[in-house]
Amino acid sequence: MIGDVSPPVASIPVVEGKEESKKHQNLLPPFSKVFSHFGTSGVSVALATGVTHPLDVLKVRLQMQHVGQRGHLIGMAGTFLQLIKNEGARSLYLGLTPALTRSVLYGGLRLGLYEPTKISFDWAFGSTNVFVKIASGAFAGAFSTALTNPVEVVKVRLQMNPNAVPISEVREIVSKEGIGALWKGVGPAMVRAAALTASQLATYDEAKRILVKQSSLTEGFHLHLWCSKHSDNRAHGHDQNPLDVAARFRKHQNLQKRVSLRL
């Protein structure tokens, strides 16, 4: 009688222990996978930045028109022609070095931290629902922006000053405005990055899960392309621009005299 009862009692914790051990072993993704996400994301964002950088220069010049004062605003075409006429075609690539540096770091961290953060939330709360995905994306975006904000500040300063050199600009900022100036605008920038990354990655992740479950699409290029297209369309828009403008103004404080001379 006793022999019949004891084996099941002894076997239950052993099986549970194995399952629990297996669960903890699979808690974190392999380092190679995390590094792969960081590398591919960073390089991809850097390549896109290299192609679209002239548009970023135009955006900054448009946002920084008549800083601190009222005046007639010039459109994108007028700003482009004025830039080419006064500063030459090379001015379209002002600040490219810090832009590429930030792209590798920010792009890699933003996307590379999403999965580990989501897995950590799953371990803490036992769920990977859409709210966990939104929180994971928000944390990854805000944290990445906080780390790379100094590079963004230098990039914006260089885009407004065709004669500036990256290292010299950093020294000038620190000597005249203090080390804290490298984190100007970090608040609005973190909010913007959190909103952008949360909506973008959570939408992508949830759309992928639903498509795999309810359609004939399987893991591969077409699935990733469809999810990326629709998540990107929903994540970008007018809701991001006010935060972007606010961050630019904060990062470009104390340079109103330079701006007035060039715009």
Side-chain angles (χ1 to χ4, degrees):
M1 189 80 174
I2 297 174
D4 293 336
V5 174
S6 58
V9 174
S11 64
I12 291 173
V14 172
V15 174
E16 288 182 347
K18 288 181 179 179
E19 290 179 351
E20 191 70 20
S21 176
K22 184 178 180 180
K23 183 178 179 180
H24 282 289
Q25 286 176 356
N26 296 330
L27 179 61
L28 295 176
F31 178 77
S32 58
K33 185 177 181 180
V34 175
F35 184 78
S36 175
H37 281 178
F38 177 87
T40 54
S41 302
V43 172
S44 299
V45 175
L47 289 173
T49 297
V51 174
T52 61
H53 188 74
L55 295 175
D56 189 52
V57 173
L58 291 175
K59 181 188 74 170
V60 171
R61 292 298 181 99
L62 285 167
Q63 289 177 340
M64 299 309 298
Q65 288 185 80
H66 308 298
V67 176
Q69 54 186 300
R70 295 180 181 272
H72 176 69
L73 297 178
I74 304 173
M76 182 175 176
T79 301
F80 172 77
L81 294 174
Q82 188 181 74
L83 197 61
I84 296 296
K85 179 181 177 180
N86 296 338
E87 302 177 31
R90 293 184 62 182
S91 61
L92 294 173
Y93 284 91
L94 290 171
L96 181 61
T97 300
L100 292 176
T101 303
R102 180 185 179 275
S103 296
V104 173
L105 296 175
Y106 173 72
L109 286 170
R110 186 173 76 106
L111 300 180
L113 287 174
Y114 175 71
E115 281 296 331
T117 304
K118 187 175 71 171
I119 293 172
S120 298
F121 280 140
D122 181 28
W123 174 77
F125 303 108
S127 174
T128 56
N129 58 36
V130 66
F131 297 106
V132 168
K133 293 171 183 177
I134 290 172
S136 301
F139 172 79
F143 182 77
S144 303
T145 294
L147 288 181
T148 59
N149 197 75
V151 187
E152 175 72 8
V153 169
V154 175
K155 185 199 79 170
V156 173
R157 299 289 182 99
L158 292 176
Q159 287 175 334
M160 296 301 300
N161 184 5
N163 299 317
V165 179
I167 300 299
S168 301
E169 191 69 23
V170 172
R171 290 174 179 170
E172 184 177 353
I173 292 172
V174 174
S175 63
K176 292 185 177 180
E177 305 172 42
I179 190 90
L182 293 173
W183 274 272
K184 280 184 176 179
V186 69
M190 287 177 67
V191 173
R192 178 184 181 276
L196 178 65
T197 308
S199 57
Q200 199 174 42
L201 297 188
T203 303
Y204 171 89
D205 206 354
E206 195 65 14
K208 180 181 174 182
R209 183 188 67 81
I210 294 172
L211 282 173
V212 169
K213 184 178 180 180
Q214 299 184 0
S215 73
S216 59
L217 287 173
T218 57
E219 184 72 28
F221 175 76
H222 292 94
L223 176 63
H224 289 290
L225 183 64
W226 196 95
C227 294
S228 298
K229 175 185 175 183
H230 288 271
S231 64
D232 197 56
N233 287 341
R234 284 159 177 75
H236 289 83
H238 297 292
D239 57 323
Q240 300 295 327
N241 197 59
L243 294 171
D244 192 36
V245 173
R248 298 284 182 205
F249 270 76
R250 286 287 297 148
K251 288 169 184 173
H252 209 63
Q253 281 183 338
N254 299 329
L255 286 182
Q256 294 185 9
K257 292 182 179 180
R258 293 188 194 177
V259 173
S260 64
L261 290 173
R262 291 180 171 80
L263 293 179

